[in-house]
Amino acid sequence: MSRLAAGVVLVTAHDPEDGPRGEDAGMTATAFVSVSLDPPLVMVSVRTGSRMDDVLTDQPLWAVSLLGEDQRDIAGRFAMSGRLSDSLLFASLPHTRGAYTGAPLVEGGLGAVECRTEQRVRAGDHTLLIGRVLSAALPSAEGGPLVYYRGRYRHLGR
């Protein structure tokens, strides 16, 4: 499967565990796809039992920032295992909050999608989250997408 190129996204949610002042959570993903246009549905795969899986078990609202080729450092930071706190990663990351989800949306990305979980499907060691698209935005970002291929982040050839 390492020979299948995939776009890179940052999946985010606001963990409501501590109420409105809860903590933000984020993870880098390459398993993100459009599922349906009518109704608008997308799917993301998260490792079962991971922090993001735990957050999204209780929080049905989440967002996805489509990362551009110049955002490799963001993808790398949120892909690190064993990191101490997502709040430190978000503190230095320019972002806005989604109007529907309250989740962080990365500034400078190629697109942003806000979702509400419609269905959770256990699949091996992952959980597939199918989300209804609540909003989609296409900022005027320049450049191409960040791509993951054969274990590395890459640029599309021009």
Side-chain angles (χ1 to χ4, degrees), residues 9 15 17 20 72 85 98 103 110-111 120 123 127 134-135 141 148 150:
V9 301
D15 182 356
E17 188 170 298
R72 181 185 302 212
S85 168
L110 298 181
R120 294 174 60 89
T127 301
L134 303 174
S135 75
Y148 193 73
R150 296 187 81 174

Side-chain angles (χ1 to χ4, degrees), residues 22 47 50-51 80 93-94 117 119:
R47 181 175 293 281
S50 67
R51 162 106 168 99
M80 289 187 304
L93 179 66
T117 300
Q119 188 175 2

Side-chain angles (χ1 to χ4, degrees), residues 24-157:
D24 294 323
M27 77 164 217
T28 301
T30 56
F32 176 72
V33 296
S34 172
V35 174
S36 169
L37 294 177
D38 187 19
L41 300 173
V42 294
M43 185 192 72
V44 67
S45 177
V46 299
R47 181 175 293 281
T48 302
S50 67
R51 162 106 168 99
M52 186 57 76
D53 183 41
D54 291 344
V55 169
L56 294 179
T57 296
D58 297 327
Q59 170 58 284
L61 300 173
W62 43 282
V64 175
S65 297
L66 309 177
L67 299 181
E69 60 193 355
D70 61 340
Q71 295 178 310
R72 181 185 302 212
D73 62 321
I74 296 169
R77 290 190 316 187
F78 283 91
M80 289 187 304
S81 61
R83 60 186 187 264
L84 296 176
S85 168
D86 286 357
S87 62
L88 296 174
L89 297 177
F90 283 111
S92 63
L93 179 66
H95 65 278
T96 59
R97 296 233 168 244
Y100 293 89
T101 63
L105 297 169
V106 177
E107 290 182 11
L110 298 181
V113 181
E114 292 186 87
C115 305
R116 181 186 64 241
T117 300
E118 294 266 314
Q119 188 175 2
R120 294 174 60 89
V121 178
R122 291 289 300 261
D125 60 0
H126 278 67
T127 301
L128 308 177
L129 294 165
I130 299 170
R132 180 177 295 263
V133 175
L134 303 174
S135 75
L138 298 172
S140 60
E142 298 285 325
L146 183 58
V147 176
Y148 193 73
Y149 177 70
R150 296 187 81 174
R152 296 188 351 201
Y153 297 116
R154 304 191 186 244
H155 300 267
L156 284 181

